[in-house]
Amino acid sequence: MHDLILRAADDLIRSKYAIALTGAGISTESGIPDFRGPSGIWTKDPEAEKRAYQSYEKFRRNPKAYWEERLTAPALLGDLRKVIPNPGHHALAELERIGILKWVITQNVDNLHQRGGSQKVLDYHGNAFKLRCIACESRYDPDVFDLERLRIEDQLPPRCKKCGGVIKSDVVHFNEPIPPDIAEQSLEEATRCDLMLICGTSAVVFPFANLPRVAKRRQLENGEGIILIEINAEPTPLTEQKISNYFIRGKTGQILPQIVEEVNRKRSPK
Ligand SMILES: [Zn+2]
């Protein structure tokens, strides 16, 4: 195990353009429930899963009803303002601060990377703390709209201040396409990176799951020196299909800080 941590530290130091992909595994360590684990949200409440599958369709059909339900129903993930980033989030922020990590591309919607200090984050599935215009993709802080007042005055859904388009949650619902700006830039980063740190995700949900595969294809076809490092509690399809070059087993909140410590130790003058 320790050998792999040293190896990851060396690879990161040698890399010129490292990026990280993250998934539920890094958030569960902050106490956010996952969806499909043994005590996952869908596992415990299959009806909630059915409703979630219908949200996007509901929004498309009747954005006003979607908003009315949103403003009265309790949030699925509980109050995300109460959870705090864990050492895994802080470690990735530190890797960015020292100039090694260029982007974090996350499937999580909880904003914990940003709160942990990361500046360059692509919220692949949206961000629960933002709203988005479906016409021009402008993102808004929810406080920009007086949602409660719009509801009382029968003015829902909120409208984009720039183009008048309909506003929805920035969170990407089932069957909703990934916002094109995020999808495009994520693909660009996967096409550009020379190291991909894959943390707490089995990368089985498409199109996110394409990102490591795009990097792997470049490695195989062009012989480019791209390294894919996986950190997860359990092996994943990426491990089994030999998409990752090596797999470090453990909690991201424990492994990532050790890697960063090694990076800093190796880089500091003796
Ligand atoms: Zn707009």
Side-chain angles (χ1 to χ4, degrees):
M1 167 77 83
H2 194 63
D3 285 355
L4 290 178
I5 286 169
L6 294 180
R7 183 174 168 191
D10 279 333
D11 285 337
L12 278 163
I13 290 170
R14 268 197 295 266
S15 72
K16 297 205 161 47
Y17 201 92
I19 66 171
L21 305 187
T22 69
I26 196 165
S27 287
T28 48
E29 292 171 40
S30 281
I32 294 178
D34 61 12
F35 285 92
R36 300 188 194 283
S39 51
I41 293 171
W42 301 153
T43 317
K44 289 200 299 199
D45 187 356
E47 285 302 312
E49 180 173 11
K50 273 188 213 155
R51 281 197 303 276
Y53 268 101
Q54 291 154 2
S55 308
Y56 188 56
E57 184 51 35
K58 187 176 283 173
F59 169 79
R60 302 262 297 181
R61 230 180 15 236
N62 187 345
K64 183 179 169 190
Y66 161 95
W67 270 103
E68 279 168 350
E69 190 178 310
R70 243 186 96 77
L71 292 174
T72 47
L76 262 186
L77 294 171
D79 189 349
L80 288 174
R81 282 167 299 196
K82 288 188 187 145
V83 294
I84 52 170
N86 65 59
H89 296 104
H90 293 300
L92 291 179
E94 168 78 359
L95 280 178
E96 178 187 309
R97 199 187 57 75
I98 62 180
I100 289 179
L101 196 65
K102 310 302 181 201
W103 284 97
V104 173
I105 307 175
T106 186
Q107 295 170 94
N108 304 327
V109 301
D110 50 38
N111 207 37
L112 286 178
H113 286 297
Q114 290 91 334
R115 286 174 58 205
S118 290
Q119 312 257 336
K120 294 171 81 181
V121 182
L122 295 170
D123 292 308
Y124 201 80
H125 291 155
N127 185 311
F129 292 86
K130 288 184 199 160
L131 304 179
R132 167 167 45 90
C133 168
I134 55 159
C136 74
E137 293 171 44
S138 292
R139 279 25 174 230
Y140 290 97
D141 184 314
D143 293 342
V144 168
F145 302 93
D146 191 342
L147 294 168
E148 201 42 43
R149 188 165 148 198
L150 292 178
R151 186 177 75 84
I152 292 163
E153 293 180 354
D154 202 22
Q155 300 287 319
L156 290 171
R159 294 275 174 176
C160 177
K161 310 255 182 213
K162 293 175 193 157
C163 79
V166 176
I167 297 280
K168 71 178 281 296
S169 159
D170 183 41
V171 172
V172 176
H173 298 311
F174 286 113
N175 298 322
E176 178 182 356
I178 304 300
D181 55 348
I182 292 282
E184 207 171 291
Q185 199 189 342
S186 301
L187 191 59
E188 245 173 63
E189 301 305 335
T191 308
R192 179 175 179 188
C193 70
D194 62 356
L195 188 149
M196 191 179 262
L197 203 52
I198 307 168
C199 314
T201 175
S202 45
V204 288
V205 177
F206 283 89
F208 183 87
N210 278 326
L211 301 173
R213 289 167 173 87
V214 163
K216 186 68 184 181
R217 210 172 308 135
R218 285 167 54 220
Q219 187 189 55
L220 293 176
E221 287 173 7
N222 312 336
E224 288 179 51
I226 303 157
I227 299 169
L228 292 92
I229 307 168
E230 211 187 344
I231 304 168
N232 207 41
E234 301 293 337
T236 72
L238 297 176
T239 335
E240 285 142 24
Q241 297 163 21
K242 297 197 166 29
I243 289 172
S244 53
N245 292 80
Y246 53 101
F247 168 73
I248 308 177
R249 187 181 207 135
K251 291 185 169 181
T252 47
Q254 285 165 4
I255 304 287
L256 285 169
Q258 291 180 55
I259 294 175
V260 173
E261 196 183 321
E262 276 308 318
V263 167
N264 283 330
R265 199 179 57 78
K266 284 167 185 280
R267 277 164 41 109
S268 66
K270 302 247 161 27

